[in-house]
Amino acid sequence: MTGTLLAGILAAVVALLLMRFAAKQPWVVSAIAAVVVLVAINIDWIKPALESVGVALGTNTVLGIAAVMMLVLLFMKVPVFVAVLGGSLIYFLFNPGINQIIFGQRAVVGTESSSLLAIPFFVCAGVFMNYSGVTSRIMDFCSAITGRLPGGLAQVNVLLSTLMGGLSGSNLADAAMEAKMLVPEMEKQGFSKEFSSVVTAASAMITPLIPPGIAMILYGCIADVSIGKLFTSGITVGGTLCIAMMLLVHFISKKRGYVPIRKEKMTGKQFWGHLRPALLPLCLPIIIIGGIRLGIFTATEAGAVAILYAVVLGLIYRELNFKLILQACKETVTTTAGIMLIVSAASVFSWVLTKEKIPQQLTEFIVRICPNKYAFLIAVNIFVLIVGMFIEGNATMIVLVPLLAPIAAQYGINEIQFAMIYIFNNAIGALSPPMGTLMFVTCSVTGCKTKPFIKEAVPFYILLLVVLLLFTFCPPVTTGIVKLIYGAV
């Protein structure tokens, strides 16, 4: 036992040093890795002792400790997958009769769903689109459409996010790209840095709502909802938010005197000259949704089709070379790995919740306190908005959706409507302080301070809450086009 303990301590020290200095991880993450190594090597004699402590505390207390540990790690800005695995590991170590092998099995099984293949496919397609010269062509087309409106470049910003959402699927990538491309030009034309940054971050919220948003793919896999129907609903949901934001930008621009890009009317020939280069990229969402609806390919296969389409466009535009292809593949791997680590960790946590029947207990409690579905939806809106202010959206989705979706079904809420409400709440959380990822990504690129950003964003927050209430109390906005295309939903 002494030899095993010494070996464990030595391995833990090595793990600590490697994580801290080789992998350049924070001290907290490095320390957690060292503890995990120490426990793993000495598991044969450590686990019985921990199990006896767990029996004395009781299952509910152990669950509470695991949840608190996870939240503490999240608030310490430890990577999400480490925090979730850390909380789950406490349950497995202190709970008698549960083999720790299940911990590893669930972590692996959680990533084996074929539907999850759509994530790397669409991420890869979006990256290839960015390297294929598609973004500049779509931005030129957006300028042609909105050039005569007050605040022309701000309107371009909103419309570009909507159209690029159908290509990139990632709101953070969209925000970073537009912050680099549009904000400097907006400042040259008289827009304030704060307003330019807010428009960029707020419009990037549209991206996860437009097919093929990664958030819709994740939700569909977690809640077993048709991804094709979610994509279809995203057309009206994303379109509604786009129109609302363009109206708000119009009024603010009129009030502040932000000028249009041009004053003269565009001829049909000039408009066609802007539309023609963007026509092929704009066909991608139509191909994806049409192909899924007609049964030509599944949502996962649609991702592979999108990659092929992006590569073909790159070759047609002669802007894609071997070096850029390697760079695109590297970005795809790193982005997908980050998402899948969260999925893997959350799979373990979901197993714990299921075993302890937490969803059923939560359902009974909420049904008692919420008299109808609208009271439930308001409660969900408030809860998810608050959680989204502190925790990354994909992480909250994987943990909360298995809990909330069955309750929504108990109230008779349409699964498509609830999905889009949940995804929209997550998107608002990404823009909101104190830890909104969209806010920080945009401000880091543009150099805007957080305090003036939040002050400038107040009208946008009010608009987002109004749109959220529209989605909550007017189901046809989220389900109308789905019923039109698919029939009953």
PDB file of all heavy atoms in Angstrom, residues 53 68 76 80 95 147 196-197 241 278 415 467 481:
ATOM      1  N   VAL A  53     -17.729   6.892   4.090  1.00  0.00           N
ATOM      2  CA  VAL A  53     -18.092   8.282   4.372  1.00  0.00           C
ATOM      3  C   VAL A  53     -19.404   8.625   3.676  1.00  0.00           C
ATOM      4  O   VAL A  53     -20.287   9.287   4.240  1.00  0.00           O
ATOM      5  CB  VAL A  53     -16.976   9.252   3.913  1.00  0.00           C
ATOM      6  CG1 VAL A  53     -17.433  10.704   4.068  1.00  0.00           C
ATOM      7  CG2 VAL A  53     -15.702   9.008   4.703  1.00  0.00           C
ATOM      8  N   VAL A  68     -22.509  21.279  -5.586  1.00  0.00           N
ATOM      9  CA  VAL A  68     -21.795  22.470  -5.109  1.00  0.00           C
ATOM     10  C   VAL A  68     -20.383  22.515  -5.677  1.00  0.00           C
ATOM     11  O   VAL A  68     -19.899  23.575  -6.123  1.00  0.00           O
ATOM     12  CB  VAL A  68     -21.757  22.490  -3.562  1.00  0.00           C
ATOM     13  CG1 VAL A  68     -20.803  23.568  -3.069  1.00  0.00           C
ATOM     14  CG2 VAL A  68     -23.150  22.728  -3.008  1.00  0.00           C
ATOM     15  N   MET A  76     -15.111  29.421 -10.705  1.00  0.00           N
ATOM     16  CA  MET A  76     -13.664  29.677 -10.692  1.00  0.00           C
ATOM     17  C   MET A  76     -13.070  29.682 -12.091  1.00  0.00           C
ATOM     18  O   MET A  76     -11.860  29.737 -12.283  1.00  0.00           O
ATOM     19  CB  MET A  76     -12.966  28.608  -9.835  1.00  0.00           C
ATOM     20  CG  MET A  76     -13.286  28.704  -8.355  1.00  0.00           C
ATOM     21  SD  MET A  76     -12.567  27.348  -7.389  1.00  0.00           S
ATOM     22  CE  MET A  76     -10.831  27.712  -7.541  1.00  0.00           C
ATOM     23  N   VAL A  80     -15.358  23.972 -18.523  1.00  0.00           N
ATOM     24  CA  VAL A  80     -16.670  23.408 -18.203  1.00  0.00           C
ATOM     25  C   VAL A  80     -16.603  21.892 -18.052  1.00  0.00           C
ATOM     26  O   VAL A  80     -17.161  21.323 -17.109  1.00  0.00           O
ATOM     27  CB  VAL A  80     -17.696  23.801 -19.292  1.00  0.00           C
ATOM     28  CG1 VAL A  80     -19.007  23.058 -19.074  1.00  0.00           C
ATOM     29  CG2 VAL A  80     -17.929  25.297 -19.278  1.00  0.00           C
ATOM     30  N   ASN A  95     -20.313   6.972  -3.541  1.00  0.00           N
ATOM     31  CA  ASN A  95     -21.547   6.192  -3.593  1.00  0.00           C
ATOM     32  C   ASN A  95     -21.223   4.701  -3.622  1.00  0.00           C
ATOM     33  O   ASN A  95     -20.611   4.215  -4.575  1.00  0.00           O
ATOM     34  CB  ASN A  95     -22.350   6.566  -4.842  1.00  0.00           C
ATOM     35  CG  ASN A  95     -23.846   6.389  -4.606  1.00  0.00           C
ATOM     36  OD1 ASN A  95     -24.270   5.390  -4.053  1.00  0.00           O
ATOM     37  ND2 ASN A  95     -24.624   7.365  -5.029  1.00  0.00           N
ATOM     38  N   GLY A 147     -27.730  49.498 -48.034  1.00  0.00           N
ATOM     39  CA  GLY A 147     -26.871  50.678 -48.184  1.00  0.00           C
ATOM     40  C   GLY A 147     -27.578  52.006 -48.035  1.00  0.00           C
ATOM     41  O   GLY A 147     -26.984  52.988 -47.574  1.00  0.00           O
ATOM     42  N   SER A 196     -20.884  50.139 -32.247  1.00  0.00           N
ATOM     43  CA  SER A 196     -20.405  49.165 -33.241  1.00  0.00           C
ATOM     44  C   SER A 196     -20.204  47.793 -32.605  1.00  0.00           C
ATOM     45  O   SER A 196     -20.572  46.764 -33.177  1.00  0.00           O
ATOM     46  CB  SER A 196     -19.093  49.650 -33.867  1.00  0.00           C
ATOM     47  OG  SER A 196     -19.239  50.922 -34.443  1.00  0.00           O
ATOM     48  N   SER A 197     -19.619  47.777 -31.397  1.00  0.00           N
ATOM     49  CA  SER A 197     -19.365  46.511 -30.709  1.00  0.00           C
ATOM     50  C   SER A 197     -20.669  45.839 -30.290  1.00  0.00           C
ATOM     51  O   SER A 197     -20.827  44.618 -30.424  1.00  0.00           O
ATOM     52  CB  SER A 197     -18.491  46.751 -29.474  1.00  0.00           C
ATOM     53  OG  SER A 197     -17.256  47.333 -29.832  1.00  0.00           O
ATOM     54  N   LEU A 241     -35.924  37.899 -35.402  1.00  0.00           N
ATOM     55  CA  LEU A 241     -34.936  38.642 -34.622  1.00  0.00           C
ATOM     56  C   LEU A 241     -34.143  39.594 -35.509  1.00  0.00           C
ATOM     57  O   LEU A 241     -33.828  40.722 -35.104  1.00  0.00           O
ATOM     58  CB  LEU A 241     -33.991  37.666 -33.922  1.00  0.00           C
ATOM     59  CG  LEU A 241     -32.960  38.283 -32.973  1.00  0.00           C
ATOM     60  CD1 LEU A 241     -33.639  39.121 -31.895  1.00  0.00           C
ATOM     61  CD2 LEU A 241     -32.106  37.197 -32.334  1.00  0.00           C
ATOM     62  N   ALA A 278     -22.812  36.244 -54.624  1.00  0.00           N
ATOM     63  CA  ALA A 278     -23.284  35.685 -53.350  1.00  0.00           C
ATOM     64  C   ALA A 278     -24.352  34.617 -53.536  1.00  0.00           C
ATOM     65  O   ALA A 278     -24.764  33.983 -52.562  1.00  0.00           O
ATOM     66  CB  ALA A 278     -23.840  36.806 -52.471  1.00  0.00           C
ATOM     67  N   GLU A 415     -42.788  20.766 -28.658  1.00  0.00           N
ATOM     68  CA  GLU A 415     -41.359  20.537 -28.463  1.00  0.00           C
ATOM     69  C   GLU A 415     -40.499  21.493 -29.284  1.00  0.00           C
ATOM     70  O   GLU A 415     -39.400  21.890 -28.863  1.00  0.00           O
ATOM     71  CB  GLU A 415     -40.995  19.090 -28.798  1.00  0.00           C
ATOM     72  CG  GLU A 415     -41.275  18.673 -30.231  1.00  0.00           C
ATOM     73  CD  GLU A 415     -40.946  17.222 -30.500  1.00  0.00           C
ATOM     74  OE1 GLU A 415     -40.738  16.472 -29.532  1.00  0.00           O
ATOM     75  OE2 GLU A 415     -40.896  16.838 -31.684  1.00  0.00           O
ATOM     76  N   VAL A 467     -38.896  40.224 -27.775  1.00  0.00           N
ATOM     77  CA  VAL A 467     -38.933  39.126 -28.746  1.00  0.00           C
ATOM     78  C   VAL A 467     -39.094  37.788 -28.030  1.00  0.00           C
ATOM     79  O   VAL A 467     -39.817  36.897 -28.496  1.00  0.00           O
ATOM     80  CB  VAL A 467     -37.658  39.134 -29.620  1.00  0.00           C
ATOM     81  CG1 VAL A 467     -37.627  37.924 -30.547  1.00  0.00           C
ATOM     82  CG2 VAL A 467     -37.579  40.414 -30.443  1.00  0.00           C
ATOM     83  N   ILE A 481     -44.143  27.704 -39.672  1.00  0.00           N
ATOM     84  CA  ILE A 481     -43.489  27.242 -40.908  1.00  0.00           C
ATOM     85  C   ILE A 481     -43.214  25.744 -40.841  1.00  0.00           C
ATOM     86  O   ILE A 481     -43.230  25.059 -41.865  1.00  0.00           O
ATOM     87  CB  ILE A 481     -42.177  28.032 -41.150  1.00  0.00           C
ATOM     88  CG1 ILE A 481     -41.633  27.719 -42.553  1.00  0.00           C
ATOM     89  CG2 ILE A 481     -41.134  27.718 -40.093  1.00  0.00           C
ATOM     90  CD1 ILE A 481     -40.470  28.598 -42.959  1.00  0.00           C
TER      91      ILE A 481
END
